[in-house]
Amino acid sequence: MGHRLAARRVLDLTELAEEPWVGAEPPGPCRSLVHDACGAAGFRPAVTVDGADYLTAQGFVAAGLGVSLLPELGLTQRHPGVTVHRVRGPEPVRALHAAAREGAWGQPVLGAMVEALRSAAEAAGDRGSVP
């Protein structure tokens, strides 16, 4: 039997407030983004198990251990036992930046990498600006 919210396309973040949570990232800015979004929605996620990466977290979610919030770029390999939904209220958004040493910007490989990041963000439905 699936999760009670599995058939929904979009979820309000507050609907996940009472759920057990699976951590998907080590402590840092991306994890803080999730906690900040939950805080803005009025709750603190009750993390019951931590996955150090997106694939591990998906496995824990598929096993029924909780829900998780993952970036679309982290869902290129989806576990078959996981359903994916957009969240809103608020929708967490993260920014990706490319940094390189001065003088490296003219190198073709760097330009190709930045273009690949742009393409991936656009394919994932990034609604922000991509310079």
Side-chain angles (χ1 to χ4, degrees):
M1 181 171 187
H3 191 275
R4 64 183 175 82
L5 300 171
R8 304 265 306 280
R9 295 187 71 203
V10 179
L11 303 173
D12 288 325
L13 196 51
T14 56
E15 293 178 281
L16 303 175
E18 300 300 319
E19 298 290 330
W21 280 70
V22 172
E25 299 176 346
C30 292
R31 179 178 278 200
S32 293
L33 181 83
V34 170
H35 286 260
D36 291 348
C38 292
F43 71 97
R44 180 175 169 84
V47 178
T48 58
V49 65
D50 263 324
D53 59 64
Y54 303 134
L55 290 175
T56 303
Q58 287 184 62
F60 288 149
V61 169
L65 299 178
V67 299
S68 191
L69 215 54
L70 306 174
E72 286 186 70
L73 291 175
L75 292 169
T76 54
Q77 296 177 335
R78 287 193 188 167
H79 189 289
V82 170
T83 60
V84 176
H85 311 272
R86 283 208 173 279
V87 295
R88 61 180 176 212
E91 178 180 357
V93 177
R94 69 179 186 169
L96 298 177
H97 301 274
R101 68 179 166 76
E102 194 171 336
W105 284 110
Q107 297 180 10
V109 69
L110 183 58
M113 182 194 75
V114 171
E115 187 52 41
L117 287 171
R118 272 193 193 114
S119 295
E122 290 169 1
D126 180 25
R127 288 164 296 285
S129 63
V130 181

